[in-house]
Amino acid sequence: MKRYLFLICLLFQLLSSELFAQTEKSPFKLNPVADGIILGAGIAFTTSAVIAEKTLDFPEYTERSYDLDSVNFIDRKLSQKYDRTLDNLGTATCTVSLALPFAVYGAGFFNDFLSTEDILTLTTMYVEAYLFDYGAKNFLKMGIRRVRPYMYYDGYPKDKLDDYDFEFSSPSGHTTDSFLGAGFLSYTFCRYFPESKWKIPVIAASYTVALGTAALRISSGNHFLTDTIFGAALGTVCGIGVPLVHEFIALHSEKKETAFKKGSVHFSVTPVSVNWKIAL
Protein backbone atom coordinates (compact mmCIF):
# COMPACT_ATOMS: atom_id res chain seq x y z
CA MET A 1 0.00 0.00 0.00
CA LYS A 2 2.82 2.43 0.86
CA ARG A 3 4.38 1.69 -2.54
CA TYR A 4 1.13 2.60 -4.33
CA LEU A 5 0.76 5.84 -2.38
CA PHE A 6 4.38 6.73 -3.20
CA LEU A 7 3.71 6.17 -6.91
CA ILE A 8 0.59 8.35 -6.72
CA CYS A 9 2.56 11.16 -5.07
CA LEU A 10 5.31 10.79 -7.70
CA LEU A 11 2.78 10.98 -10.52
CA PHE A 12 1.28 14.19 -9.15
CA GLN A 13 4.80 15.55 -8.70
CA LEU A 14 5.58 14.97 -12.39
CA LEU A 15 2.29 16.48 -13.54
CA SER A 16 2.29 19.38 -11.10
CA SER A 17 3.07 22.12 -13.61
CA GLU A 18 -0.12 21.32 -15.50
CA LEU A 19 -2.14 20.05 -12.56
CA PHE A 20 -1.95 23.24 -10.54
CA ALA A 21 -2.17 25.77 -13.35
CA GLN A 22 -4.22 28.90 -12.75
CA THR A 23 -3.90 28.98 -8.96
CA GLU A 24 -6.08 31.68 -7.46
CA LYS A 25 -6.41 33.28 -4.04
CA SER A 26 -7.64 30.76 -1.48
CA PRO A 27 -11.44 30.57 -1.56
CA PHE A 28 -11.49 29.16 1.99
CA LYS A 29 -10.63 30.78 5.27
CA LEU A 30 -10.20 29.63 8.85
CA ASN A 31 -11.79 31.47 11.75
CA PRO A 32 -10.53 30.86 15.32
CA VAL A 33 -14.00 31.02 16.85
CA ALA A 34 -15.88 29.13 14.13
CA ASP A 35 -13.21 26.44 13.78
CA GLY A 36 -12.93 26.09 17.54
CA ILE A 37 -16.65 25.35 17.65
CA ILE A 38 -16.56 23.02 14.63
CA LEU A 39 -13.52 21.07 15.86
CA GLY A 40 -14.88 20.90 19.41
CA ALA A 41 -18.25 19.65 18.20
CA GLY A 42 -16.61 17.15 15.86
CA ILE A 43 -14.34 15.76 18.56
CA ALA A 44 -17.24 15.51 21.01
CA PHE A 45 -19.42 13.84 18.37
CA THR A 46 -16.77 11.28 17.43
CA THR A 47 -15.77 10.60 21.03
CA SER A 48 -19.41 10.02 21.96
CA ALA A 49 -19.78 7.54 19.11
CA VAL A 50 -16.67 5.62 20.22
CA ILE A 51 -17.82 5.52 23.84
CA ALA A 52 -21.33 4.45 22.85
CA GLU A 53 -20.00 1.64 20.66
CA LYS A 54 -17.82 0.37 23.53
CA THR A 55 -20.38 0.65 26.32
CA LEU A 56 -23.82 -0.04 24.86
CA ASP A 57 -25.16 -3.58 24.88
CA PHE A 58 -26.18 -4.79 21.43
CA PRO A 59 -28.02 -8.02 20.63
CA GLU A 60 -25.53 -10.88 20.39
CA TYR A 61 -25.56 -13.54 17.73
CA THR A 62 -27.68 -16.47 18.89
CA GLU A 63 -27.03 -19.01 16.13
CA ARG A 64 -30.23 -17.92 14.43
CA SER A 65 -30.67 -18.15 10.67
CA TYR A 66 -31.62 -15.11 8.62
CA ASP A 67 -34.14 -15.26 5.80
CA LEU A 68 -32.88 -13.55 2.63
CA ASP A 69 -36.46 -13.33 1.33
CA SER A 70 -37.11 -10.67 3.98
CA VAL A 71 -34.68 -8.34 2.19
CA ASN A 72 -35.94 -6.00 -0.55
CA PHE A 73 -35.65 -7.25 -4.14
CA ILE A 74 -32.67 -5.13 -5.31
CA ASP A 75 -30.56 -5.72 -2.21
CA ARG A 76 -31.41 -9.40 -2.26
CA LYS A 77 -30.34 -9.88 -5.89
CA LEU A 78 -27.00 -8.13 -5.38
CA SER A 79 -26.14 -9.69 -2.01
CA GLN A 80 -23.06 -11.93 -1.85
CA LYS A 81 -21.31 -14.40 0.42
CA TYR A 82 -18.33 -13.21 2.42
CA ASP A 83 -15.01 -12.90 0.58
CA ARG A 84 -12.03 -11.88 2.73
CA THR A 85 -9.81 -11.01 -0.23
CA LEU A 86 -12.37 -8.56 -1.63
CA ASP A 87 -12.95 -7.28 1.91
CA ASN A 88 -9.24 -6.41 2.26
CA LEU A 89 -9.15 -4.94 -1.24
CA GLY A 90 -12.07 -2.66 -0.35
CA THR A 91 -10.17 -1.46 2.70
CA ALA A 92 -7.17 -0.71 0.46
CA THR A 93 -9.20 1.37 -2.01
CA CYS A 94 -10.84 3.20 0.88
CA THR A 95 -7.37 4.09 2.18
CA VAL A 96 -6.39 5.39 -1.25
CA SER A 97 -9.55 7.54 -1.39
CA LEU A 98 -8.76 9.11 1.97
CA ALA A 99 -5.10 9.61 1.01
CA LEU A 100 -5.68 11.20 -2.42
CA PRO A 101 -6.23 14.74 -1.05
CA PHE A 102 -2.92 14.50 0.83
CA ALA A 103 -1.14 13.28 -2.31
CA VAL A 104 -2.56 15.99 -4.57
CA TYR A 105 -2.17 18.91 -2.20
CA GLY A 106 1.17 17.64 -0.90
CA ALA A 107 2.50 17.80 -4.47
CA GLY A 108 1.04 21.29 -4.82
CA PHE A 109 2.73 22.46 -1.63
CA PHE A 110 6.18 21.06 -2.47
CA ASN A 111 5.99 22.68 -5.90
CA ASP A 112 5.06 26.08 -4.38
CA PHE A 113 1.55 26.17 -5.83
CA LEU A 114 0.03 26.12 -2.35
CA SER A 115 1.21 28.07 0.69
CA THR A 116 1.62 26.85 4.24
CA GLU A 117 -1.59 28.72 5.08
CA ASP A 118 -3.43 26.88 2.30
CA ILE A 119 -2.23 23.51 3.59
CA LEU A 120 -3.24 24.42 7.16
CA THR A 121 -6.69 25.43 5.93
CA LEU A 122 -7.14 22.27 3.85
CA THR A 123 -5.89 19.99 6.62
CA THR A 124 -8.15 21.62 9.22
CA MET A 125 -11.19 21.32 6.96
CA TYR A 126 -10.38 17.68 6.15
CA VAL A 127 -10.01 16.77 9.82
CA GLU A 128 -13.30 18.52 10.65
CA ALA A 129 -15.08 16.72 7.82
CA TYR A 130 -13.71 13.34 8.91
CA LEU A 131 -14.74 13.86 12.53
CA PHE A 132 -18.36 14.45 11.54
CA ASP A 133 -18.17 11.64 8.99
CA TYR A 134 -16.92 9.18 11.59
CA GLY A 135 -19.39 10.15 14.29
CA ALA A 136 -22.37 10.19 11.94
CA LYS A 137 -21.74 6.82 10.31
CA ASN A 138 -21.16 5.08 13.63
CA PHE A 139 -24.19 6.53 15.38
CA LEU A 140 -26.29 5.55 12.38
CA LYS A 141 -24.88 2.01 12.38
CA MET A 142 -25.75 1.63 16.06
CA GLY A 143 -29.21 3.09 15.59
CA ILE A 144 -30.18 1.13 12.47
CA ARG A 145 -28.46 -2.16 13.37
CA ARG A 146 -28.94 -3.84 10.00
CA VAL A 147 -27.49 -7.33 9.64
CA ARG A 148 -24.78 -7.65 6.99
CA PRO A 149 -25.44 -9.68 3.82
CA TYR A 150 -22.90 -12.39 4.64
CA MET A 151 -25.03 -13.45 7.63
CA TYR A 152 -27.65 -14.77 5.20
CA TYR A 153 -25.17 -17.31 3.80
CA ASP A 154 -22.97 -20.10 5.07
CA GLY A 155 -19.32 -19.32 5.64
CA TYR A 156 -19.78 -15.99 7.40
CA PRO A 157 -16.70 -14.67 9.28
CA LYS A 158 -16.88 -15.87 12.89
CA ASP A 159 -14.40 -13.20 14.04
CA LYS A 160 -16.96 -10.46 13.34
CA LEU A 161 -19.56 -11.77 15.75
CA ASP A 162 -18.00 -10.91 19.11
CA ASP A 163 -17.72 -7.15 18.47
CA TYR A 164 -21.28 -6.89 17.00
CA ASP A 165 -19.84 -5.88 13.62
CA PHE A 166 -22.16 -8.32 11.87
CA GLU A 167 -25.15 -6.06 12.62
CA PHE A 168 -23.57 -2.72 11.60
CA SER A 169 -24.28 -2.90 7.89
CA SER A 170 -25.95 0.46 7.25
CA PRO A 171 -24.51 2.81 6.24
CA SER A 172 -21.35 1.41 4.68
CA GLY A 173 -18.46 2.98 6.60
CA HIS A 174 -15.84 2.33 3.92
CA THR A 175 -18.08 3.88 1.27
CA THR A 176 -18.78 6.86 3.51
CA ASP A 177 -15.06 7.47 4.00
CA SER A 178 -14.28 7.00 0.30
CA PHE A 179 -16.90 9.50 -0.82
CA LEU A 180 -15.76 11.90 1.89
CA GLY A 181 -12.31 11.92 0.29
CA ALA A 182 -13.69 12.13 -3.25
CA GLY A 183 -16.16 14.91 -2.45
CA PHE A 184 -13.61 16.92 -0.50
CA LEU A 185 -10.88 16.67 -3.13
CA SER A 186 -13.19 17.33 -6.07
CA TYR A 187 -14.84 20.39 -4.56
CA THR A 188 -11.75 22.02 -3.07
CA PHE A 189 -9.63 21.37 -6.16
CA CYS A 190 -12.21 22.99 -8.42
CA ARG A 191 -12.40 26.01 -6.12
CA TYR A 192 -8.63 26.41 -5.82
CA PHE A 193 -7.86 25.76 -9.49
CA PRO A 194 -11.00 26.61 -11.49
CA GLU A 195 -9.10 26.92 -14.79
CA SER A 196 -7.00 23.77 -14.47
CA LYS A 197 -7.37 21.33 -17.36
CA TRP A 198 -7.00 18.53 -14.78
CA LYS A 199 -10.28 19.26 -13.00
CA ILE A 200 -12.20 16.52 -14.79
CA PRO A 201 -9.43 13.88 -14.44
CA VAL A 202 -9.09 14.63 -10.71
CA ILE A 203 -12.84 14.34 -10.16
CA ALA A 204 -13.04 11.20 -12.31
CA ALA A 205 -10.12 9.51 -10.56
CA SER A 206 -11.32 10.27 -7.05
CA TYR A 207 -14.88 9.13 -7.69
CA THR A 208 -13.73 6.04 -9.62
CA VAL A 209 -11.80 4.87 -6.56
CA ALA A 210 -14.79 5.71 -4.33
CA LEU A 211 -17.19 3.80 -6.57
CA GLY A 212 -14.73 0.91 -6.67
CA THR A 213 -14.78 0.82 -2.88
CA ALA A 214 -18.59 0.69 -2.87
CA ALA A 215 -18.59 -2.13 -5.43
CA LEU A 216 -16.04 -4.11 -3.41
CA ARG A 217 -18.06 -3.70 -0.22
CA ILE A 218 -21.06 -5.23 -2.00
CA SER A 219 -19.14 -8.01 -3.74
CA SER A 220 -17.31 -8.95 -0.53
CA GLY A 221 -20.63 -9.59 1.21
CA ASN A 222 -20.20 -6.77 3.72
CA HIS A 223 -22.99 -4.50 2.51
CA PHE A 224 -26.18 -4.25 0.53
CA LEU A 225 -26.50 -1.80 -2.34
CA THR A 226 -28.65 0.59 -0.29
CA ASP A 227 -25.99 0.62 2.47
CA THR A 228 -23.42 1.93 -0.01
CA ILE A 229 -25.83 4.51 -1.48
CA PHE A 230 -26.54 5.77 2.03
CA GLY A 231 -22.81 5.89 2.77
CA ALA A 232 -22.00 7.68 -0.48
CA ALA A 233 -24.56 10.40 0.27
CA LEU A 234 -23.36 10.84 3.85
CA GLY A 235 -19.68 11.01 2.86
CA THR A 236 -20.38 13.51 0.09
CA VAL A 237 -22.34 15.79 2.43
CA CYS A 238 -19.49 15.81 4.97
CA GLY A 239 -16.77 16.16 2.32
CA ILE A 240 -18.39 19.13 0.60
CA GLY A 241 -20.34 20.63 3.50
CA VAL A 242 -17.34 21.60 5.64
CA PRO A 243 -15.50 23.39 2.79
CA LEU A 244 -18.75 25.21 1.97
CA VAL A 245 -18.86 26.57 5.53
CA HIS A 246 -15.28 27.85 5.19
CA GLU A 247 -16.06 29.33 1.81
CA PHE A 248 -18.87 31.28 3.45
CA ILE A 249 -16.44 32.40 6.16
CA ALA A 250 -14.00 33.60 3.48
CA LEU A 251 -16.72 35.55 1.63
CA HIS A 252 -18.00 37.10 4.86
CA SER A 253 -14.46 38.07 5.88
CA GLU A 254 -13.78 39.61 2.47
CA LYS A 255 -16.97 41.68 2.65
CA LYS A 256 -16.02 42.95 6.10
CA GLU A 257 -12.53 43.90 4.91
CA THR A 258 -13.98 45.70 1.87
CA ALA A 259 -16.49 47.56 4.02
CA PHE A 260 -13.75 48.57 6.45
CA LYS A 261 -11.56 49.88 3.64
CA LYS A 262 -14.43 51.84 2.11
CA GLY A 263 -15.34 53.44 5.40
CA SER A 264 -11.81 54.13 6.56
CA VAL A 265 -10.37 57.59 7.31
CA HIS A 266 -6.77 58.43 6.41
CA PHE A 267 -4.78 61.28 7.98
CA SER A 268 -1.45 62.76 6.95
CA VAL A 269 0.43 65.57 8.71
CA THR A 270 3.01 67.88 7.09
CA PRO A 271 4.88 70.87 8.63
CA VAL A 272 2.43 73.28 7.01
CA SER A 273 -0.87 71.34 6.82
CA VAL A 274 -3.06 68.49 8.00
CA ASN A 275 -4.65 66.37 5.24
CA TRP A 276 -7.45 63.86 5.66
CA LYS A 277 -9.36 61.58 3.32
CA ILE A 278 -12.43 59.36 3.75
CA ALA A 279 -12.76 56.30 1.49
CA LEU A 280 -16.44 55.72 0.74
Side-chain angles (χ1 to χ4, degrees):
M1 180 53 61
K2 291 182 179 179
R3 181 185 302 174
Y4 293 138
L5 293 178
F6 172 77
L7 291 175
I8 291 172
C9 291
L10 181 61
L11 175 62
F12 284 124
Q13 181 84 6
L14 295 173
L15 296 174
S16 60
S17 60
E18 293 290 337
L19 186 67
F20 300 103
Q22 305 296 328
T23 304
E24 292 190 350
K25 180 181 178 182
S26 174
F28 309 106
K29 188 176 181 64
L30 299 180
N31 179 279
V33 176
D35 284 290
I37 294 173
I38 295 172
L39 279 171
I43 291 172
F45 191 39
T46 295
T47 302
S48 298
V50 173
I51 293 174
E53 189 173 355
K54 298 297 183 182
T55 58
L56 293 178
D57 290 326
F58 299 103
E60 296 183 359
Y61 179 62
T62 56
E63 298 295 332
R64 60 165 290 189
S65 59
Y66 295 95
D67 184 9
L68 192 59
D69 289 334
S70 64
V71 179
N72 70 75
F73 176 78
I74 296 177
D75 281 343
R76 182 170 69 249
K77 289 300 181 182
L78 293 176
S79 64
Q80 300 291 328
K81 292 183 178 181
Y82 182 71
D83 188 306
R84 192 171 295 276
T85 299
L86 295 179
D87 186 359
N88 293 332
L89 188 57
T91 299
T93 56
C94 177
T95 302
V96 171
S97 287
L98 287 172
L100 273 175
F102 291 106
V104 173
Y105 292 131
F109 174 72
F110 286 112
N111 285 279
D112 297 323
F113 290 102
L114 292 169
S115 67
T116 302
E117 183 179 358
D118 292 327
I119 294 299
L120 176 61
T121 299
L122 286 163
T123 302
T124 301
M125 291 193 300
Y126 201 29
V127 169
E128 292 170 349
Y130 184 77
L131 287 171
F132 283 101
D133 164 280
Y134 186 92
K137 71 181 182 183
N138 281 280
F139 269 121
L140 287 167
K141 282 176 178 290
M142 290 183 284
I144 297 171
R145 290 210 305 269
R146 187 183 195 188
V147 176
R148 294 181 185 271
Y150 57 61
M151 295 303 297
Y152 293 88
Y153 299 91
D154 294 331
Y156 56 81
K158 301 293 194 336
D159 59 322
K160 296 182 181 292
L161 301 181
D162 293 337
D163 59 359
Y164 312 109
D165 187 63
F166 73 95
E167 56 184 344
F168 290 159
S169 184
S170 184
S172 167
H174 285 66
T175 306
T176 302
D177 289 347
S178 292
F179 276 83
L180 165 75
F184 182 88
L185 176 58
S186 298
Y187 185 76
T188 54
F189 187 88
C190 289
R191 297 297 294 121
Y192 265 106
F193 312 106
E195 302 302 322
S196 173
K197 64 177 64 175
W198 282 88
K199 281 194 306 181
I200 300 301
V202 166
I203 294 171
S206 58
Y207 275 102
T208 296
V209 178
L211 287 168
T213 300
L216 286 167
R217 297 309 287 170
I218 296 172
S219 59
S220 65
N222 279 284
H223 293 287
F224 294 107
L225 173 64
T226 51
D227 300 335
T228 62
I229 293 174
F230 190 4
L234 178 60
T236 299
V237 168
C238 293
I240 296 178
V242 170
L244 273 173
V245 170
H246 288 81
E247 189 170 3
F248 173 79
I249 292 173
L251 290 172
H252 183 67
S253 176
E254 186 176 340
K255 287 180 180 179
K256 285 181 66 177
E257 290 176 2
T258 303
F260 177 77
K261 289 178 181 179
K262 286 184 177 180
S264 60
V265 180
H266 302 273
F267 291 94
S268 62
V269 180
T270 69
V272 295
S273 67
V274 175
N275 301 314
W276 57 277
K277 179 174 65 176
I278 300 177
L280 300 176

